[in-house]
Amino acid sequence: MDRFLLHLRDERRLSPHTLASYRRDLSQLIHWLDEQGISHWSHLSANQIRGYIAQRHRQGLAAKSLQRELSSLRSLYRFLLREQAVNNNPALGVRAPKAQRRLPATLDADQLSQLLEISDDSPVALRDRAIMELFYSSGLRLAELIDLDLGQIDQADAEVEVMGKGSRARRLPVGRRALQAIEAWLAVRPQLAAIDEPALFVGVRGQRISRSTIQKQLRHWSRQQGSPHNLHPHMLRHSFASHLLESSGDLRAVQELLGHANISTTQIYTHLDFQHLAQVYDQAHPRAKKQK
């Protein structure tokens, strides 16, 4: 498994967060294999994998988590086949229970305006507002925002360069409000940042800001500003995508901006405002218009 994780890190260039998920999923399976007395990957059959998945399901693991565990196992076997350590991939024919597809929660324009109208001008508040504005302006993932360095924001061209999943770089536009919030944060950033710290956003100890700090601060501002939702970073990304798609109808452009490798991932946003789309259809389609 260690060789497999090195392959994921060095060849596929997966993020530390994704690597940790692979390690966690496969460690669970290895523990079960030890209990079953299975000592080599080539001894594992499709029926045994189905038994393992069924046991995990009985333990209360959600369908989406089971799908991820199976995906990790299939990836491992693809690597083992390449290394000629096994002769087949027994996980290929095994399916996890179907996950109920939930639509992502979003904020509407009025709720976002209320959230971002922060009157506090302390360095932490200015930092947090810049973070939230950038999430909503450019649709960044949490890891992408954390990894930003000072040089990746081009204020003159109103762009930010990010490194997405699979080490795929992309340039994204940054809106006027986000640029103003970032400029206000940069003016007070020296009060928090260590002298040699390259990160755009830092914590109170002067180092690159952590995932938990951002998540905690977003929950704080959600309560402080009277937001009806338990705010998290992906909710701002979802809001960015759904508002952009609703206004433009350009699914391919939204896919590029979000950094989705597969357009089917982006298509979930087409379901968010179906009533609006149906209304547009009723007004625009010749066969849908009511006769005068």
Side-chain angles (χ1 to χ4, degrees):
M1 191 175 75
D2 290 337
R3 286 170 54 204
F4 171 59
L5 292 171
L6 285 173
H7 154 75
L8 295 179
R9 188 193 71 185
D10 299 337
E11 294 184 42
R12 292 182 55 188
R13 296 184 176 276
L14 299 186
S15 70
H17 180 66
T18 306
L19 289 175
S21 295
Y22 272 97
R23 181 182 292 277
R24 187 168 56 249
D25 291 343
L26 294 173
S27 294
Q28 287 278 358
L29 177 61
I30 288 174
H31 178 69
W32 180 81
L33 292 174
D34 289 341
E35 290 178 344
Q36 303 299 311
I38 299 171
S39 58
H40 195 273
W41 293 112
S42 62
H43 299 161
L44 188 58
S45 69
N47 281 336
Q48 288 168 322
I49 295 173
R50 287 189 188 95
Y52 171 72
I53 293 296
Q55 177 181 308
R56 297 284 284 153
H57 190 43
R58 288 193 298 272
Q59 290 170 347
L61 205 67
K64 194 170 183 180
S65 298
L66 292 171
Q67 289 173 355
R68 191 198 65 231
E69 288 196 358
L70 271 174
S71 177
S72 298
L73 188 56
R74 291 188 194 106
S75 295
L76 170 65
Y77 269 93
R78 282 195 292 271
F79 171 75
L80 293 172
L81 282 166
R82 193 190 79 171
E83 299 295 301
Q84 299 182 339
V86 297
N87 296 320
N88 69 314
N89 187 340
L92 280 179
V94 181
R95 292 187 178 182
K98 262 194 172 180
Q100 184 179 3
R101 195 171 193 186
R102 294 181 180 177
L103 295 180
T106 62
L107 299 172
D108 63 32
D110 290 338
Q111 291 169 336
L112 277 159
S113 294
Q114 180 181 335
L115 172 70
L116 296 170
E117 290 299 326
I118 298 173
S119 56
D120 190 340
D121 61 356
S122 67
V124 167
L126 292 173
R127 178 202 67 192
D128 293 347
R129 183 179 178 188
I131 285 173
M132 291 188 287
E133 287 278 10
L134 190 54
F135 271 134
Y136 178 55
S137 166
S138 305
L140 302 187
R141 298 180 177 96
L142 175 56
E144 292 169 347
L145 184 133
I146 289 170
D147 289 343
L148 285 179
D149 288 337
L150 289 167
Q152 290 174 250
I153 289 279
D154 188 335
Q155 291 177 284
D157 289 337
E159 288 183 342
V160 59
E161 184 174 355
V162 301
M163 189 65 68
K165 286 186 176 180
S167 298
R168 292 188 294 269
R170 67 189 193 281
R171 294 188 71 84
L172 300 168
V174 181
R176 176 176 56 86
R177 294 289 185 90
L179 284 174
Q180 290 172 349
I182 290 168
E183 189 174 353
W185 155 240
L186 290 176
V188 299
R189 180 182 175 277
Q191 297 179 34
L192 290 184
I195 294 174
D196 57 348
E197 177 55 59
L200 175 62
F201 296 111
V202 299
V204 293
R205 295 182 180 178
Q207 310 301 315
R208 188 178 300 272
I209 198 166
S210 67
R211 299 173 68 91
S212 59
T213 296
I214 292 178
Q215 291 164 339
K216 178 173 69 71
Q217 288 301 108
L218 261 59
R219 288 193 296 270
H220 162 75
W221 290 115
S222 178
R223 294 189 298 269
Q224 182 82 10
Q225 300 296 104
S227 174
H229 295 276
N230 185 14
L231 186 66
H232 55 83
H234 239 58
M235 189 181 290
L236 295 173
R237 176 171 157 91
H238 292 323
S239 302
F240 158 85
S242 59
H243 294 174
L244 200 60
L245 186 60
E246 180 183 339
S247 299
S248 69
D250 193 333
L251 191 64
R252 285 285 180 188
V254 175
Q255 178 194 2
E256 289 293 323
L257 290 168
L258 290 173
H260 286 161
N262 195 321
I263 200 167
S264 64
T265 311
T266 319
Q267 283 173 329
I268 190 169
Y269 297 106
T270 63
H271 301 287
L272 285 175
D273 198 20
F274 183 77
Q275 288 183 337
H276 169 76
L277 296 177
Q279 185 179 11
V280 171
Y281 172 83
D282 288 341
Q283 293 172 350
H285 196 284
R287 291 290 188 183
K289 289 179 180 178
K290 289 182 179 179
Q291 294 296 323
K292 291 183 180 179

